[in-house]
Amino acid sequence: EGIIRDTIAVLQEKSMLSAEQASAVDTAQVAAFFASEIGQRLLAAGWVRRETPFSCTFPASRIYHREAGAVGDEPILIQGIVDCMFDDGNGLVLLDYKTDKIYMKQWSAAAERHRFQLSLYAEAISRILDRPVMACYVFFFDGGQAVQLF
């Protein structure tokens, strides 16, 4: 946790974090993330991108799959921000952070609620970078749990 506190202090000195923001950081949660398997993979990655915005079009039938026959294939613009993506030598990995409160430690069910969004993100990133996303994880700070969606 000392390294995390030092990093927070540096970010404050560089005016990248306010005092209020710095005091809100739960260093134990951050330390737990980096101690987790996915945190260790991220630390070992040779290529990392954080908070990466993207735009991509999808056919309307891909977005509104239940009404696929009615909506046709008009292009729909999807915009988003990928929390984190990295390549640790095993392929491209998407990592999404969530601060949801998880009821009764049901992390897998909570991750499933984000599957559609993250599958679109993965598809968009694959098309933009012209390389497949090999895995996608949701990391819940509530409980410090990572769930692999694919």
Side-chain angles (χ1 to χ4, degrees):
E1 285 184 50
I3 293 171
I4 297 165
R5 282 191 291 276
D6 292 346
T7 302
I8 292 168
V10 169
L11 293 173
Q12 261 189 288
E13 288 171 17
K14 293 181 176 184
S15 299
M16 295 175 76
L17 282 179
S18 68
E20 183 179 6
Q21 290 169 325
S23 67
V25 175
D26 185 332
T27 56
Q29 280 187 333
V30 175
F33 167 75
F34 284 110
S36 72
E37 179 185 343
I38 194 68
Q40 290 293 302
R41 286 182 67 185
L42 175 60
L43 287 172
W47 182 91
V48 178
R49 299 293 180 272
R50 292 179 179 89
E51 297 296 322
T52 305
F54 71 90
S55 297
C56 190
T57 59
F58 287 92
S61 60
R62 171 69 172 93
I63 307 303
Y64 303 106
H65 49 80
R66 290 189 181 125
E67 296 87 22
V71 296
D73 283 331
E74 290 294 318
I76 303 264
L77 178 66
I78 300 296
Q79 295 180 308
I81 299 175
V82 174
D83 289 343
C84 183
M85 60 181 151
F86 63 89
D87 189 335
D88 63 354
N90 296 311
L92 193 59
V93 177
L94 290 187
L95 175 58
D96 198 62
Y97 305 113
K98 297 296 183 192
T99 57
D100 306 11
K101 290 292 182 195
I102 307 305
Y103 179 70
M104 296 184 67
K105 300 181 180 184
Q106 295 180 356
W107 294 289
S108 293
E112 285 300 322
R113 290 193 292 272
H114 301 286
R115 181 179 290 278
F116 180 70
Q117 170 205 357
L118 295 174
S119 66
L120 285 178
Y121 280 28
E123 191 174 332
I125 293 302
S126 290
R127 287 172 35 196
I128 292 166
L129 297 179
D130 194 30
R131 54 190 290 214
V133 172
M134 302 305 290
C136 179
Y137 292 82
V138 179
F139 184 85
F140 294 101
F141 282 99
D142 182 16
Q145 295 293 313
V147 177
Q148 185 173 0
L149 288 175
F150 58 86

